[in-house]
Amino acid sequence: MEYQQLVKISKRMSKALRHEPARVGLTLDPAGWVPVTDFLAAMKIDRATLDEVVGGNDKQRFAVAVGEDGVERIRANQGHSVPVELGLAEAEPPEVLFHGTAAAALSSIQATGLNRGGRHHVHLSPDTATARRVGARRGGAIVILTVLAGEMARAGHVFYRSDNGVWLSDAVPPEFIRTG
Ligand code: HQG
C-alpha cells in the first residue's frame, strides 16, 4: 500500500486507540487493549493492512499481543488522552533528554515548566533529531529544550520509558530546563 495511505490509516488508528474509541464503537480495557477482530471491523481495514501499519510504523506506535485468554489484542504504546493504565515500569533516565516545541511556547514553559496538557505525561525525546521532529509538527519556529533528567531523577521525579522509546514524566519544573 502507498505510504500516504498507510499514514492516513495510522492516524485513524491512533485517534481510536488513544483519544476517541467510543466514536468508532470501541471500548478499551483498563490497559488500553481492544481485540484485533473488533478493531479491524471498527477501522474497516483487513488484517494485512493492519500488519503493514503496525510493522512499518516509523515510531512503533502500536503493540499487538495475545492475552492469557488466547485473544489477540492491539493498543497504542503511548500518547493517550483517555484514562488507561499502561503499566509502564519506572526507568532510570539518561542524564539529559530533549523536548522540541514551538518557540512561541518558550516564555510560558520557562515560567511554569513543561506540563502534560491533555496527555498522561510530558513526552521527552532521547536525542535532538527526534525532538526536532516532534517540534516541527507545530509549524513555525521551533526550540529544542534540554531537560536535566538525571538531576530530576535524583530529586525524586519518576521517569518511564514507553515501549517505543519515548521518555515520560509527570511534569518538568522550570529549574530543570535549559535552552540550547
Ligand atoms: C507544550 C507525537 C506552553 C509542549 C510526538 C507541546 C510526541 C507548553 C504541547 C508526542 C507548556 C503539547 C507528544 C507550557 C508544555 N506552556 N506550552 N507550560 N508545557 N507545552 O502534542 O510533546 O506522532 O501533547 O511543548 O512525536 O509535542 O502522536 O505533546 O508542544 O512523541 O505518536 O504543549 O506526540 O507522537 O503538545 O508530543 P503534545 P508533544 P505521535
Side-chain angles (χ1 to χ4, degrees):
M1 190 177 286
E2 249 184 70
Y3 179 73
Q4 284 311 325
Q5 183 68 15
L6 289 174
V7 169
K8 218 169 140 191
I9 296 169
S10 172
K11 287 189 175 174
R12 270 207 296 132
M13 287 171 49
S14 286
K15 197 168 175 190
L17 291 171
R18 292 169 171 179
H19 306 302
E20 297 185 333
R23 205 174 162 139
V24 288
L26 292 171
T27 306
L28 309 185
D29 79 5
W33 299 98
V34 287
V36 167
T37 44
D38 296 353
F39 190 65
L40 294 175
M43 293 288 98
K44 301 184 171 64
I45 58 173
D46 62 18
R47 180 59 201 243
T49 302
L50 182 92
D51 288 345
E52 212 177 332
V53 173
V54 172
N57 203 258
D58 56 344
K59 281 181 59 188
Q60 297 300 310
R61 290 183 177 83
F62 311 103
V64 174
V66 179
E68 281 173 15
D69 55 4
V71 175
E72 196 180 28
R73 294 184 175 83
I74 183 167
R75 77 173 179 183
N77 277 326
Q78 37 74 218
H80 300 77
S81 58
V82 293
V84 290
E85 183 45 70
L86 293 175
L88 297 172
E90 273 185 41
E92 193 184 323
E95 205 53 35
V96 293
L97 287 167
F98 303 94
H99 182 85
T101 189
L106 185 58
S107 59
S108 165
I109 291 171
Q110 285 177 321
T112 63
L114 286 168
N115 47 53
R116 61 201 177 90
R119 305 208 191 225
H120 288 197
H121 299 98
V122 172
H123 288 225
L124 302 170
S125 306
D127 55 75
T128 54
T130 306
R132 193 166 294 282
R133 274 198 297 279
V134 173
R137 286 156 56 241
R138 314 253 145 234
I142 69 168
V143 60
I144 308 293
L145 306 174
T146 300
V147 171
L148 306 179
E151 266 185 42
M152 269 182 75
R154 290 189 287 279
H157 293 267
V158 174
F159 285 81
Y160 307 91
R161 190 175 174 279
S162 72
D163 287 346
N164 59 342
V166 178
W167 284 89
L168 306 164
S169 197
D170 287 344
V172 179
E175 61 267 31
F176 297 107
I177 298 172
R178 300 286 180 273
T179 51

